[in-house]
Amino acid sequence: MPAALPYRIMKKIILLLGLLCVFCVLLTACGEDEEDDYEWIDHLQTTTKAPTLTPTTALSPTPTEVPRKPYILCLDPGHGGRWTGAIYYGVEERTVVLQLAKEIRAYLNEHYPDIEVYLTRETNECFSDDLGTDLRKRVEYGKEMGAQILVSLHLNASDAHNLRGTMVCISKQPNINGISKELANTLMDATEALGLRRRGYETRNSGDTFDENGVPVDYYAICRHGASLGIPAVILESCFMDNEKDFAFVKDDAAIKKLAAAEAEAMAKFLISHYSK
Ligand SMILES: [Zn+2]
């Protein structure tokens, strides 16, 4: 039988093994941190594809090999999550505007390869269960993706169900008011040519919220956050869901496709005329 190792040597071996384990754990932890940081920075600088959104992982790392395109558009299908938006004729606003956004993107991908399109949501999921946080994050997402403009897609409804036409809500703040007005008019030129009434653009100040200089901020959150982040963010209310004649413009796949093509053309025209280098 081999002789047992002296107690002193055993003690040294155990100590050395212990130190080795601690060293390995530290090395692994440092490596993971570095990799996370690298992927995050890389994603912010060169990402080209819209990540899939979930409430907990708003922005996830994406492939980086494709160069950025000259024009970048962010489409925000309104509502989603626990917010349905208006419901008429058996359909929910959140579902129609998501389909509309996807059709606009498909049209632009086919006809305007120089325009990169991001959607703030690809499914019913949105950024947060808290409305204020969700709306802020939608605009932050557009800004982070480098979008030159953000168009939030909605459908309207009125108390007496007797209104018709397209309206666009824009910011009152001087840094983006002028350009938002131009964008609103370009969008309404397109829907008017399709046969929708032109209701015009609307601005509205918050009655109880002011910036640090005491100037009232926009009532509409999307516009307000657009102003604070310096991105023209407008709310396009294409038509009234609760009016039969207006509803015809979104009543089925073919109608939505037609509306999407007209709005996509308007967005392309606006981007190319304002952001050509
Ligand atoms: Zn809406």
Side-chain angles (χ1 to χ4, degrees), residues 26-37:
L26 284 173
L27 199 68
T28 313
C30 292
E32 277 172 2
D33 278 345
E34 276 171 22
E35 199 176 318
D36 280 349
D37 285 344

Side-chain angles (χ1 to χ4, degrees), residues 13 22 51 53 67 84 91 95 98 124 129 193 204 206 235 240 273:
I13 290 171
V22 171
L53 304 177
T84 60
V91 291
T95 311
L98 181 59
N124 186 48
D129 274 346
R204 185 172 161 191
S206 166
I235 300 171
F240 280 76
S273 65

